[in-house]
Amino acid sequence: VFRIFFAFVALNAFFMPSTSAQTLRGTVLDADLGAPVVNTTVSVTLLKTGTETRQTQTDESGQFRFDDLAAGLYRVEFVKT
């Protein structure tokens, strides 16, 4: 079983009310080793609509970034294939 640990580096969209675009970024780490998990698909879905989903892949450092997100609550999902 592959377990991952997700650590937020910045979560402006959730903690700083604003009407302007926000950035969500973070790092996906192996829960046991603490090593970066590369090529993990990260998806964010705006809970208000449930339909505005965006995806990206983690880089060689396990990092990901979503720019220009509307302020709101999001579901964040991780899939390692």
Side-chain angles (χ1 to χ4, degrees):
V1 173
F2 183 78
R3 297 182 339 160
I4 60 173
F5 170 74
F6 172 69
F8 279 124
V9 175
L11 191 50
N12 295 337
F14 296 112
F15 296 116
M16 299 180 71
S18 175
T19 56
S20 62
Q22 301 292 311
T23 296
L24 170 65
R25 60 184 174 199
T27 303
V28 179
L29 301 171
D30 181 287
D32 296 321
L33 303 175
V37 182
V38 300
N39 297 323
T40 298
T41 300
V42 183
S43 303
V44 293
T45 304
L46 183 61
L47 293 179
K48 183 176 173 181
T49 63
T51 59
E52 296 177 37
T53 300
R54 291 172 51 187
Q55 293 184 333
T56 192
Q57 294 286 117
T58 58
D59 64 15
E60 64 279 350
S61 300
Q63 296 181 353
F64 66 90
R65 181 181 179 123
F66 293 95
D67 291 317
D68 301 321
L69 292 173
L73 296 174
Y74 287 83
R75 179 178 60 238
V76 182
E77 298 177 295
F78 308 92
V79 177
K80 175 66 177 167
T81 54

